[in-house]
């Protein structure tokens, strides 16, 4: 457990003075997400430690270099967990990188995203200033919400020093049920069920089967499972935890491919996208992974017309713009915000968009 | 240019896009807009406009931008921090005519609504689908969704169901150049920065909200409420922590102290125990199975923490009665005193006893009674200071007392405002919570959206000079806050 605030601040301050680009890195487990960013390495790897955690407050504050592994272990002692179920992709994954990428797992559609659980952050902006936003309480409307703004900013607005997160208790029991369905039927079923008060905590569709995870007390899970199994032809599976671990960490056979994989974010009830290529659908229909050789520009147009967006998730040519381009007016607001936090443009330049 | 000239220019420009009755500038027409829910601050605006289309809003804002006239957006005016307080040189942009629910999608569990739709009207409109909109500020019968987004409003169910920011998907906003932008999306995420989070709670300083897409949740099959009485507020505070530690996330967990109990009981006759020092209202919701599992567990935790009595509301009528007392606590306290001043600090739950003691000490020092009502589950306190504005100097003493409570909240690791916003009311307390560099960062964010500072200027974020002058009055430990600033 070490506090590297001073060293990190000195590094960014010097980079600001010299106008040299910084490439912020934690456990380097998410280097494949976003555009490549050149620059001098600024590592948060040794800026570690859980600063405070009180189970009855449901709040944990940790330095950005603390590993997800350490945090999960600390929370497990009190039967609690990070409700957004972040993927790690490596045992070196840090909480800073997780929040910077706003990464959430299978529970996202039901519990919320990483950004929903951010209560406060301490950052270094592009001028080398240490700033604190938000706090360690559930409700806080003092000043603009600069904390949540850091989630998904990929370090382009500030280097995360500390994050405070809302924590929730873990459910006692987990049951997963499986049902053979067409993709369109599965999307309809999972959205119909989400409109009822049921302990659904994740869903997934691949290989003509819909999987629904329930998390609650034993009795509540069993009742919900029976109710759903009566409505649709379905049955519980044996290896629930293993399945969701594979989906969460993308160790599932679907992701083992050399073909380009597009990450498609869509309104959950959108019909199945009829594009040739294997699909895996998560988040109640709102997240669709597609293996396709279709040019990404074409795919982006199709998805944008449906109200969604596409990331060039993996195996795309190196010069592909990773994230869906922004509308021109929104892009101007982005440049304004980048300039407000990082006037010299030194923090992870290009990682999110070439112009930021 | 004189105010009269500016006003005439605005009237000329607005008359080309708005009907005559949507442009108000006579003194008697302007009076109803002089304040919001914080009536201690009043100001007649230069004029009021009441557009009913997005194009009209764009045109109004473009005109104000060209003439460099401030624009203050207003919903129902129920805000408690003066966020919609007019400027004598500014246009008050009322969104009262934007009352349409544009679309309800029961399968996607979303509703697309105009900003002037009332919070409760959304839940009423979707009830037949078994859905509701979760955030429920106590003013939900009157407050509008546009104002809720501007303030990131909460309510009594936030611990389990989140704040406004967790329950909206998409916004249409008009920026000061008159451009219309769509932020967020009907999907679960959007590319780029989280502008949706930034806009939520930005108090009308970054853009004007003209459409909101909200998330809807399934109505729980069952909700039950336990009322627990305590002979000591500390014990009630400990019970709150113990409930959370037991793995229970109540839908609502509210505390009232003796004075608040008396006020509510005299007003509503909810059958509250008048001899208790504090009561907790603990609501549990979910499926019938989980509610029935949790009730005995919660009752046991409450008794183990010294509850002198626990009472389970026997039916929905009694449950509504228990809540009515709590939700009417503000007007109930209003009946006990000519005026009251409501605070909104939030603290870590473990600091509850400590901060309550400080409030009690300050109450003695200022000789002003305080009734405490709070969202105990999330540490959001609403101390109500009782005072009489007709007694000379009493309002000023009350404000000073309030500011000290907020300082105590910040020192306890909390914040000056949990859900009411900063507005004009708590602008000086922002200097206590944030350092100069942080306030400068907020001003830089503002400039990225509104370079000429025309949208709701002077609210929410104090200038560094204001903090420096205030700091000069409050020297702590011989150290001046903001020492880097020039002083005069």
């Amino acid at each position: 457990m070490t506090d590297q605030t001073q060293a990190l601040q000195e590094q960014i301050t010097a980079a600001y003075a010299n106008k040299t680009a910084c490439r912020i890195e934690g456990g380097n487990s998410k280097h494949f997400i976003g555009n490549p960013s050149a620059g001098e390495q600024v590592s948060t790897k040794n800026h570690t430690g859980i600063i405070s955690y009180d189970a009855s407050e449901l709040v944990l504050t940790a330095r950005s270099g603390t590993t997800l592994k350490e945090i999960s272990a600390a929370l497990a002692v009190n039967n609690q967990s990070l409700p957004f179920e972040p993927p790690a992709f490596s045992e070196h994954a840090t909480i800073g990188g997780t929040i910077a990428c706003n990464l959430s797992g299978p529970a996202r559609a039901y519990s919320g995203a990483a950004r929903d659980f951010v209560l406060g952050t301490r950052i270094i902006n592009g001028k080398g200033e240490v700033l604190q936003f938000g706090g360690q309480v559930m409700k806080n409307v003092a000043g603009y919400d600069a904390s949540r703004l850091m989630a998904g900013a990929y370090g382009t607005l500030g280097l995360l020093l500390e994050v405070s997160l809302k924590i929730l208790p873990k459910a006692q029991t987990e049951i997963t049920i499986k049902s053979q369905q067409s993709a369109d039927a599965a999307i309809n079923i999972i959205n119909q069920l989400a409109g009822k008060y049921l302990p659904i905590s994740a869903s997934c569709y691949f290989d003509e089967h819909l999987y629904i995870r329930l998390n609650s007390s034993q009795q509540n899970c069993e009742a919900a499972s029976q109710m759903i199994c009566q409505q649709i032809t379905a049955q519980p599976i044996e290896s629930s935890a293993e399945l969701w671990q594979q989906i969460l960490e993308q160790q599932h056979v679907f992701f083992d491919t050399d073909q380009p994989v597009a990450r498609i974010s869509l309104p959950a009830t959108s019909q199945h996208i009829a594009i040739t290529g294997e699909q895996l659908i998560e988040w109640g229909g709102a997240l669709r992974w597609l293996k396709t050789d279709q040019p990404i520009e074409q795919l982006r147009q199709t998805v944008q017309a449906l109200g969604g967006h596409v990331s060039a998730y993996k195996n795309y040519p190196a010069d592909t713009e990773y994230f869906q381009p922004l509308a021109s007016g929104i892009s101007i607001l982005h440049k304004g915000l980048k300039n407000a936090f990082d006037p010299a443009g030194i923090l992870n330049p290009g990682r999110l968009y070439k112009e930021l | 240019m004189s105010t009269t000239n500016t006003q005439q220019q605005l009237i000329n420009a607005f008359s080309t896009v708005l009907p005559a009755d949507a442009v108000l500038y006579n003194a008697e027409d302007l009076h109803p807009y002089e304040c919001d829910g914080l009536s201690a601050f009043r100001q007649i605006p230069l004029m009021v406009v009441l557009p009913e289309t997005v194009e009209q809003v764009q045109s109004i804002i473009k005109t104000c931008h060209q003439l460099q006239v401030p624009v203050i957006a207003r919903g129902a005016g129920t805000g408690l921090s003066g966020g919609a307080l007019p400027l004598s040189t500014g246009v008050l942009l009322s969104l009262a005519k934007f009352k349409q629910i544009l679309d309800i999608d029961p399968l996607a569990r979303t509703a697309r609504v105009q900003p002037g739709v009332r919070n409760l009207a959304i839940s009423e409109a979707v009830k037949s689908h078994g859905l509701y909109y979760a955030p429920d500020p106590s003013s939900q019968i009157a407050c509008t969704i546009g104002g809720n987004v501007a303030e990131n409003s909460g309510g009594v169910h936030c611990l389990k169901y989140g704040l406004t920011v967790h329950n909206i998907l998409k916004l249409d906003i008009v920026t000061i150049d008159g451009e219309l932008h769509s932020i967020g999306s009907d999907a679960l995420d959007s590319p780029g920065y989280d502008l949706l989070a930034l806009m939520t709670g930005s108090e009308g300083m970054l853009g004007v909200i003209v459409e909101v897409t909200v998330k809807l949740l399934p109505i729980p099959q069952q909700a039950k409420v336990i009322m627990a009485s305590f002979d000591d507020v500390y014990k009630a505070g400990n019970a709150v922590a113990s409930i959370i530690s037991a793995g229970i996330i109540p839908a609502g967990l509210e505390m009232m102290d003796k004075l608040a109990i008396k006020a509510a009981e005299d007003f509503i006759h909810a059958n509250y125990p008048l001899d208790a020092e504090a009561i907790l209202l603990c609501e549990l919701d979910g499926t019938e199975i989980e509610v029935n599992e949790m009730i005995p567990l919660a009752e046991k935790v409450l008794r183990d923490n010294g509850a002198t009595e626990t009472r389970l509301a026997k039916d929905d009528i009694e449950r509504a009665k228990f809540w009515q007392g709590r939700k009417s606590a503000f007007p109930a306290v209003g009946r006990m005193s000519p005026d009251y001043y409501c605070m909104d600090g939030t603290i870590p739950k473990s600091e509850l006893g400590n901060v309550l003691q400080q409030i009690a000490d300050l109450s003695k020092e200022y000789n002003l009674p305080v009734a405490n009502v709070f969202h105990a589950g999330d540490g959001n306190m609403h101390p109500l200071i009782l005072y009489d504005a007709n007694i000379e100097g009493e309002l000023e003493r009350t404000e000073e007392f309030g500011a000290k409570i907020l300082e105590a909240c910040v020192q306890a690791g909390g914040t000056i405002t949990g859900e009411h916003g900063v507005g004009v009311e708590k602008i000086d307390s922002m200097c206590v919570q944030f350092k100069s560099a942080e306030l400068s960062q907020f001003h830089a964010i503002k400039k990225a959206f509104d370079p000429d500072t025309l949208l709701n200027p002077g609210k929410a974020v104090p200038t560094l000079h204001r903090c420096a002058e205030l700091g000069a009055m409050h020297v702590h430990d011989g150290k001046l806050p903001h020492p880097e600033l020039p002083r005069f």
Side-chain angles (χ1 to χ4, degrees), chain A residues 57 132 166 191 220 265, chain B residues 109 159 189 287 293 350 438:
Chain A
E57 295 285 346
Q132 185 137 13
K166 179 179 173 180
N191 280 288
N220 202 35
S265 178
Chain B
R109 292 148 279 123
L159 182 65
D189 48 35
T287 63
E293 281 175 346
S350 56
E438 290 150 354

Side-chain angles (χ1 to χ4, degrees), chain A residues 56-57 108 115-116 125 132 139-141 156 166 191 195 197 217 219-220 223 263 265 309 334 340 353, chain B residues 109 155 159 161 165-166 188-189 191 193-194 218 245 286-287 289 293 349-350 375 380 415 417 419 438 441:
Chain A
S56 74
E57 295 285 346
R108 194 278 170 243
R115 62 84 99 164
D116 290 314
N125 69 7
Q132 185 137 13
K139 280 178 167 175
N140 188 351
V141 291
T156 61
K166 179 179 173 180
N191 280 288
Y197 201 100
S217 68
Q219 209 191 345
N220 202 35
R263 178 194 185 275
S265 178
H309 64 98
H334 274 64
Y353 287 103
Chain B
R109 292 148 279 123
L159 182 65
Y161 296 108
V165 71
H166 302 106
L188 288 180
D189 48 35
Y193 297 140
D194 195 340
S245 296
T287 63
I289 291 171
E293 281 175 346
K349 289 184 286 287
S350 56
H375 309 303
N380 185 197
T415 175
T417 174
E419 57 182 359
E438 290 150 354
Q441 188 66 73

Side-chain angles (χ1 to χ4, degrees), chain A residues 54-58 78 80 102 108-109 112-113 115-117 123 125 127 129-146 148-149 151-153 156-157 166-169 172 187-188 190-192 194-199 216-220 223 263 265-269 283-284 286-287 307-309 323-326 329-330 332-338 340-341 352-353 356, chain B residues 105 107-109 129-131 151-152 154-155 158-161 163 165-166 173 175 181-183 185-198 200-203 205-206 215 218-221 241 244-245 247-249 285-287 289-290 293 344 346-351 375 377-378 380 413-422 430 433-435 437-438 441-446 448-449 461:
Chain A
D54 178 344
S56 74
E57 295 285 346
L58 300 175
N78 294 300
Q80 296 183 334
N102 188 28
R108 194 278 170 243
R115 62 84 99 164
D116 290 314
F117 294 90
I123 68 161
N125 69 7
K127 296 198 278 187
E129 295 168 327
V130 173
L131 309 174
Q132 185 137 13
F133 298 112
Q136 301 180 3
V137 288
M138 302 289 162
K139 280 178 167 175
N140 188 351
V141 291
Y144 301 120
D145 194 346
R148 280 197 181 86
L149 190 60
T156 61
L157 298 178
K166 179 179 173 180
I167 306 299
L168 285 176
Q172 296 163 4
I187 290 165
N188 185 54
I190 194 65
N191 280 288
Q192 293 279 4
K196 301 189 171 20
Y197 201 100
L198 291 167
S216 186
S217 68
Q218 179 82 26
Q219 209 191 345
N220 202 35
R263 178 194 185 275
S265 178
L266 269 181
T269 52
W283 296 4
L287 179 62
H309 64 98
F323 297 103
Q324 180 114 3
L326 301 171
I330 295 290
I332 293 167
L333 294 176
H334 274 64
K335 283 178 208 157
L337 278 174
K338 171 73 174 172
F341 281 89
L352 190 54
Y353 287 103
L356 297 179
Chain B
D105 186 340
L107 185 63
R109 292 148 279 123
H129 302 291
L131 302 169
E151 301 293 329
N152 193 14
C158 295
L159 182 65
K160 187 164 179 181
Y161 296 108
L163 309 157
V165 71
H166 302 106
I173 64 162
T175 40
H181 303 278
S182 186
I183 63 176
S185 79
D186 291 313
L188 288 180
D189 48 35
S190 312
Y193 297 140
D194 195 340
L195 301 184
L196 193 66
L198 186 62
T200 310
S202 63
E203 304 198 18
M205 312 253 299
L206 304 180
K215 276 203 283 195
I219 298 171
Q221 287 168 15
I244 308 285
S245 296
I248 300 171
I249 303 295
D285 72 359
T287 63
I289 291 171
E290 62 187 327
E293 281 175 346
D344 178 42
T346 303
I347 53 168
K349 289 184 286 287
S350 56
E351 294 287 332
H375 309 303
D378 44 33
N380 185 197
T415 175
I416 59 170
T417 174
E419 57 182 359
H420 294 172
V422 175
M430 285 289 281
Q433 182 149 357
F434 293 101
K435 301 193 296 271
E438 290 150 354
Q441 188 66 73
F442 287 146
H443 287 299
I445 293 171
K446 165 85 170 158
F449 280 74
V461 185

Side-chain angles (χ1 to χ4, degrees), chain B residues 316-355:
Chain B
D316 279 350
I317 296 167
E318 192 173 34
R319 181 178 144 244
K321 201 81 189 165
F322 282 1
W323 277 116
Q324 200 189 352
R326 163 61 189 90
K327 288 206 171 186
S328 310
F330 290 11
V333 167
R335 294 167 76 242
M336 298 174 80
S337 163
D339 299 282
Y340 69 90
Y341 191 58
C342 171
M343 308 309 296
D344 178 42
T346 303
I347 53 168
K349 289 184 286 287
S350 56
E351 294 287 332
L352 215 54
N354 163 30
V355 174

Side-chain angles (χ1 to χ4, degrees), chain B residues 51-180:
Chain B
E52 52 190 327
T53 69
V54 173
E55 293 73 22
Q56 288 172 347
V57 173
Q58 289 181 269
S59 177
I60 290 163
I61 294 179
K62 257 183 205 154
T63 300
C64 290
H65 188 214
Q66 273 162 10
L67 297 174
Q68 294 283 294
V69 173
V71 182
I72 292 105
R74 175 186 165 111
T78 57
L80 293 170
S81 57
L85 181 73
L87 277 176
S88 64
T89 54
V91 169
L92 190 85
L93 173 60
S94 166
L95 293 144
K97 290 187 177 171
F98 284 80
K99 282 185 179 162
Q100 300 292 316
I101 294 180
L102 301 168
D103 185 41
I104 296 167
D105 186 340
L107 185 63
R109 292 148 279 123
T110 60
R112 201 161 58 82
V113 304
Q114 292 190 319
V117 171
R118 290 177 303 111
N119 173 297
L120 191 60
I122 301 175
S123 290
E124 285 168 351
V126 301
K127 195 178 173 190
S128 60
H129 302 291
L131 302 169
Y132 75 114
Y133 174 67
D136 61 341
S138 293
S139 57
Q140 69 178 149
I141 193 164
C143 64
T144 63
I145 189 70
N148 288 179
V149 175
E151 301 293 329
N152 193 14
S153 302
V156 301
H157 293 101
C158 295
L159 182 65
K160 187 164 179 181
Y161 296 108
L163 309 157
T164 303
V165 71
H166 302 106
N167 288 281
I168 58 171
L169 287 170
K170 198 166 102 176
L171 295 175
D172 281 358
I173 64 162
V174 177
T175 40
I176 191 62
D177 51 7
E179 293 296 314
L180 180 66

